[in-house]
Amino acid sequence: MKVGFIGLGTMGYPMAGHVAAAHDLVVWNRTASVADRHAEEHSSLAAHDLAGLADRDVVVTCLPTSADVDEIADRLGPLLARGSVWVDATSGDPEVARLTATRLTERGVAYVDAPVSGGSTGASAGTLTVMCGGSTDDIDRARPVVECWAGRIVRVGDIGAGHAVKAVNNALLAVALWSAGEGLAALAKAGVDVTAALEVINASSGRSNATVTLIPDRVVSRAFPNTFSLPLLVKDLGIAVGVATRAGVDARVLRLAAERFGTALERLGDVDHTAALRVLEEDAGVEIR
Ligand code: NDP
């Protein structure tokens, strides 16, 4: 298949690498040197102009926000052939994505939202969980490409449903991370050994990905490697709150998580999402270690 990939960041770069191994791939990145590096490393072809993707059967976007995707779709959509498919792997906003999809569909380009979960490790391994929104037919047409980076592909509903599920998933991650941080800060201040507490919690009912992986690997170690940035998590929380509000659900815990991580973003800027716990630590006067 002729595939185009737009957005070679932490996630997109390795995802596109898997596509290059199976399909005829043209890559485009806002910073062109990254596309050139990808072409050299993965034998893809680097386009320095979006028009270089006009003949693609499938176009993939993996950008920070739906607004970024919408802007690119406005430029590239009119150049694509009828019958092509746009696969949006961005963690996006269902409302904005539906507007983008409508404009693409009017031009005969199908749209599938296909955000991913599994982080940079899953992207490198090609084992991401993909949640798809769109028609079964369109998802099936995109499947040979999506399979390149997926360990699991689940259709969760119509256009926008993938983005909604992704936002809620990440809101759950945020709640688990922050609440585990509060609990462990309290234990540390009370004189309990954090590593021993985590050993117990991770063999008990309070465990989560935050306690099993994120807090030991990133917070207790003080490494805080920036592989999933705090601005992106704050964006996802805003989308999740929007999904809940539109559905008429009183999601006050999600709203509080959005507020806490939003404050951390104001104080810390562009750091790894786990570094948000530093704000909690500063306020409590203790380190989770
Ligand atoms: P990065 O910040 O690492 O990469 C963003 C990419 O988008 C870069 O290629 C960047 O280009 C490009 N870009 C940014 N703004 C624009 C724009 N206005 N127009 C065109 N290109 C633009 O992000 P990630 O790879 O971490 O995340 C991508 C998406 O995947 C996000 O929606 C995120 O929420 C989601 N995600 C991230 C995960 C993670 O662990 N990091 C896990 C699962 C989902 P340039 O090189 O020029 O900066």
Side-chain angles (χ1 to χ4, degrees), residues 63-276:
L63 300 175
T65 69
S66 286
D68 301 323
V69 175
D70 195 57
E71 197 242 315
I72 296 284
D74 256 357
R75 289 159 60 193
L76 178 57
L79 309 178
L80 293 172
R82 297 187 82 79
S84 50
V85 185
W86 193 291
V87 177
D88 186 15
T90 304
S91 298
D93 183 321
E95 295 297 297
V96 180
R98 276 191 278 267
L99 296 175
T100 308
T102 301
R103 287 205 310 283
L104 287 170
T105 308
E106 281 166 4
R107 297 181 177 279
V109 177
Y111 174 96
V112 171
D113 45 310
V116 300
S117 179
S120 55
T121 314
S124 296
T127 56
L128 294 167
T129 299
V130 184
M131 49 223 92
C132 294
S135 78
T136 307
D137 277 1
D138 293 340
I139 292 169
D140 282 345
R141 285 198 291 145
R143 197 175 292 273
V145 176
V146 175
E147 272 172 353
C148 295
W149 58 75
R152 180 186 296 248
I153 302 171
V154 182
R155 179 181 182 269
V156 290
D158 295 332
I159 290 170
H163 289 321
V165 172
K166 174 64 190 176
V168 168
N169 176 76
N170 279 22
L172 298 180
L173 149 73
V175 169
L177 178 60
W178 194 274
S179 56
E182 288 180 353
L184 290 167
L187 289 173
K189 222 167 170 186
V192 175
D193 178 73
V194 167
T195 303
L198 280 169
E199 187 183 339
V200 172
I201 290 165
N202 289 337
S204 305
S205 47
R207 72 181 171 277
S208 64
N209 185 53
T211 61
V212 172
T213 305
L214 295 176
I215 290 179
D217 292 357
R218 299 180 183 224
V219 181
V220 174
S221 70
R222 315 311 289 169
F224 304 107
N226 193 352
T227 68
F228 176 47
S229 74
L230 182 55
L232 291 176
L233 182 59
V234 169
K235 171 228 13 174
D236 294 335
L237 278 160
I239 295 169
V241 168
V243 168
T245 304
R246 279 191 299 278
V249 171
D250 177 3
R252 65 188 76 181
V253 173
L254 301 190
R255 283 205 309 275
L256 184 57
E259 183 204 309
R260 300 315 307 260
F261 279 91
T263 302
L265 176 59
E266 278 167 22
R267 280 167 62 172
L268 301 171
D270 189 358
V271 293
D272 188 60
H273 65 299
T274 57

